[in-house]
Amino acid sequence: MFTAALLPRLAGRLLGLGALLAAGSLAAGTAGAVTAPMLVVDVDSGKVIYSQGATDPWYPASITKLMTTYVALDMVRQGRASMDQLLTISEAAAAEPPSKMGFKPGTQLTLDNALKIIMVKSANDVAWAIGENLGGSIDGFAAQMNETAQRLGMRESHWYNPNGLPDPRQWTSARDMAVLGRALLRDFPENRDLFSISAIQFGRAVMPNHNGLLGRYAGVDGMKTGFICSGGFNVVASANRNGRRILTVVMGQASARERDLKAADLFDYGFGQSSLGWGGQTLNDLPVSSAATPPDMRPYICDKRRPMPTDSDSSAVTAGAGAGGNADNANAQLMAVGAPPSSALAFATMNSAALRNRALPPRAPLQPVLVWTGRDPAESAIAATDEAAPAKPAASKPAARVKVAKPAPHKPSPHKPAPSRSIAATGATVPQPKLLARQKAAAPAAASAFASSGPATAVIAEPKGQKAAGKTAPKPAAKPSPKAETKPAQKPTVKSARKKDD
């Protein structure tokens, strides 16, 4: 027998069950089952220019890192952290799945470099390290994320990790992400460049920003993309034209290409509207959603019959092209909108089939920003030299890297790293002249950013061994001294060791 006190609790359970059944019904592919969240807002005034499903709960994916960044910058502002503070990669952080930097446990880097890395590379291991180091634990940092979200007025957000990897309890909304984006731009104007970095360079590797709007849509100057199978492709983007700054949020798209195209169309619409026509609706005026939980987009976004999509424009185009008409039809049914769009929003609300032949302009040349481990690039070079030592036999690897004629030590001198190692670790864009002189048909620095350093070492080591043999051959006849007898014995040892290293 039910009492009056039990009725509300039972009703809540029934509503939760109904929400789960509704989420499961997505597999039937019924038209209008899901509305893709979209939102356009004026940054200065907070006035809503366009909204669609803006308060519906949604899995955020890596746009979570905007929340992580706000908490970190807020701690710096309060004096509880500093940008040059060293963060340590733990075993748990190193074990996080990609996208990641792949740092070994014990690696240290500054908070400043860590924030640059998560904004561009979207590295999950680095975001996890930020949470552990600044919050004491992931749970402690998540508590700070939730406290900060409530203070900013984010109504639909629940945070449990700092990197956005799948967690059924973690979700947000387009409205909340617009609130967060405005807060970042308003509260930390000195850090706005953090969201507009086109690429980072770590060692010789240049990593472009996942945000396909940067350098391709006029005026876009941030902020962050995200992708997981359950949430689809999301983006929070800001753009500035003639002093007007607009923030656009697009979530739940089937590919990075569609996400970027729809965001660009929404920017076109927003900049084409007069401020007089926006009305009086603000982000706080948007009605609360009737949805209890986010939909699971996995069956539609990560179809086993096509390649796994990734949060980068080129990979997403390839994946979308291989999907075929069936995937387009499924997405068209899933992402149907409740009302016919106006002509100005036609492209932004069209399905993937209508966007197939459209593309944004080519991306502008990248301007990589250097990042490193340790306190500075020099310390990073030493760490890279020490880390590389155990990778190969101790007797051969140090001899291949140390130029001074000495007995091969177990570890190279930390004060004299080999030129190629120091360049690779510090990300120096100007190689040493002597090193370039030994290379055959050396490629420009920009063109060789992604090249492996293995072939380059082989080209350097072989000629050097030949020159050494040519110079030392006549010496025993001219000066039969003990010093001359030791050189021929040492040189072949270095050459042999380098051959093993190559």
Side-chain angles (χ1 to χ4, degrees):
M1 185 174 183
F2 297 107
T3 63
L6 291 176
L7 287 176
R9 189 178 303 174
L10 178 61
R13 291 181 179 178
L14 290 175
L15 285 174
L17 177 61
L20 291 175
L21 292 175
S25 69
L26 293 177
T30 55
V34 174
T35 298
M38 298 181 186
L39 182 63
V40 184
V41 62
D42 178 71
V43 171
D44 292 335
S45 66
K47 295 284 186 69
V48 175
I49 303 173
Y50 176 79
S51 67
Q52 171 183 297
T55 58
D56 290 349
W58 209 268
Y59 294 118
S62 281
I63 59 176
T64 296
K65 295 179 175 78
L66 289 173
M67 189 75 239
T68 299
T69 299
Y70 189 97
V71 173
L73 293 177
D74 193 39
M75 292 181 67
V76 172
R77 180 173 59 178
Q78 297 174 24
R80 298 163 55 198
S82 64
M83 295 298 278
D84 58 357
Q85 172 181 343
L86 283 177
L87 312 178
T88 302
I89 302 292
S90 68
E91 291 186 1
E96 287 295 281
S99 174
K100 62 194 294 185
M101 292 296 289
F103 292 139
K104 295 180 180 180
T107 302
Q108 292 187 316
L109 70 164
T110 64
L111 176 59
D112 181 57
N113 279 326
L115 292 177
K116 292 173 182 175
I117 289 172
I118 68 170
M119 283 295 105
V120 177
K121 172 65 175 173
S122 198
N124 294 321
D125 50 354
V126 175
W128 195 269
I130 293 174
E132 285 184 327
N133 284 265
L134 297 189
S137 66
I138 294 301
D139 289 341
F141 192 79
Q144 294 186 50
M145 294 171 73
N146 287 308
E147 180 183 352
T148 303
Q150 292 180 1
R151 176 168 54 84
L152 295 177
M154 301 169 68
R155 301 185 307 216
E156 291 88 28
S157 296
H158 308 275
W159 307 104
Y160 288 87
N161 68 57
N163 55 21
L165 283 171
D167 187 320
R169 304 168 298 171
Q170 179 156 302
W171 66 70
T172 186
S173 67
R175 174 201 170 273
D176 278 9
M177 295 312 300
V179 171
L180 176 60
R182 290 187 67 222
L184 281 165
L185 296 173
R186 177 193 66 228
D187 297 344
F188 307 106
E190 68 279 8
N191 299 109
R192 285 186 179 182
D193 291 345
L194 188 63
F195 311 108
S196 59
I197 301 172
S198 64
I200 57 172
Q201 181 173 342
F202 179 75
R204 294 189 177 184
V206 175
M207 308 169 198
N209 197 311
H210 290 177
N211 188 347
L213 294 166
L214 282 172
R216 301 179 70 190
Y217 184 89
V220 167
D221 53 9
M223 300 186 82
K224 185 73 184 74
T225 64
F227 163 73
I228 58 173
C229 291
S230 296
F233 289 84
N234 307 332
V235 66
V236 179
S238 64
N240 191 349
R241 281 190 189 174
N242 301 321
R244 288 179 56 195
R245 187 179 296 276
I246 289 177
L247 197 70
T248 292
V249 183
V250 177
M251 307 178 85
Q253 299 304 303
S255 71
R257 175 176 172 271
E258 293 176 42
R259 172 192 66 195
D260 297 342
L261 284 171
K262 292 181 180 181
D265 290 332
L266 289 169
F267 275 127
D268 286 341
Y269 176 80
F271 284 120
Q273 301 299 305
S274 169
S275 59
L276 299 176
W278 294 347
Q281 192 178 43
T282 65
L283 290 172
N284 291 331
D285 298 327
L286 291 173
V288 177
S289 173
S290 59
T293 57
D296 187 357
M297 307 291 290
R298 178 178 292 274
Y300 306 94
I301 304 297
C302 298
D303 191 334
K304 293 181 179 179
R305 295 170 296 179
R306 51 182 172 148
M308 175 66 72
T310 58
D311 192 12
S312 61
D313 188 67
S314 58
S315 299
V317 171
T318 303
N326 292 334
D328 288 335
N329 292 336
N331 289 328
Q333 291 180 354
L334 179 71
M335 310 311 292
V337 295
S342 64
S343 57
L345 291 176
F347 284 123
T349 55
M350 279 185 177
N351 57 48
S352 56
L355 297 172
R356 185 179 300 167
N357 296 324
R358 299 184 61 220
L360 290 173
R363 176 175 268 185
L366 300 176
Q367 298 179 344
V369 173
L370 296 180
V371 295
W372 55 86
T373 56
R375 295 186 182 278
D376 51 50
E379 184 175 329
S380 180
I382 296 171
T385 304
D386 292 339
E387 285 181 8
K392 292 188 178 181
S396 62
K397 182 141 187 147
R401 295 186 355 250
V402 178
K403 286 189 173 183
V404 180
K406 296 180 180 179
H410 290 290
K411 286 188 179 181
S413 172
H415 303 292
K416 296 183 180 180
S420 60
R421 294 293 183 185
S422 62
I423 293 173
T426 62
T429 55
V430 182
Q432 296 182 8
K434 292 183 179 179
L435 185 62
L436 285 179
R438 300 192 194 107
Q439 294 181 352
K440 295 180 180 180
S448 61
F450 294 94
S452 170
S453 59
T457 307
V459 172
I460 296 170
E462 201 60 34
K464 184 173 181 180
Q466 294 171 2
K467 288 182 180 179
K471 288 181 180 179
T472 56
K475 284 186 178 180
K479 294 182 180 180
S481 63
K483 184 177 181 180
E485 293 174 1
T486 59
K487 285 189 176 181
Q490 290 176 350
K491 288 289 183 177
T493 303
V494 176
K495 181 177 179 181
S496 174
R498 287 182 177 175
K499 284 185 177 180
K500 291 181 180 180
D501 186 34
D502 297 339

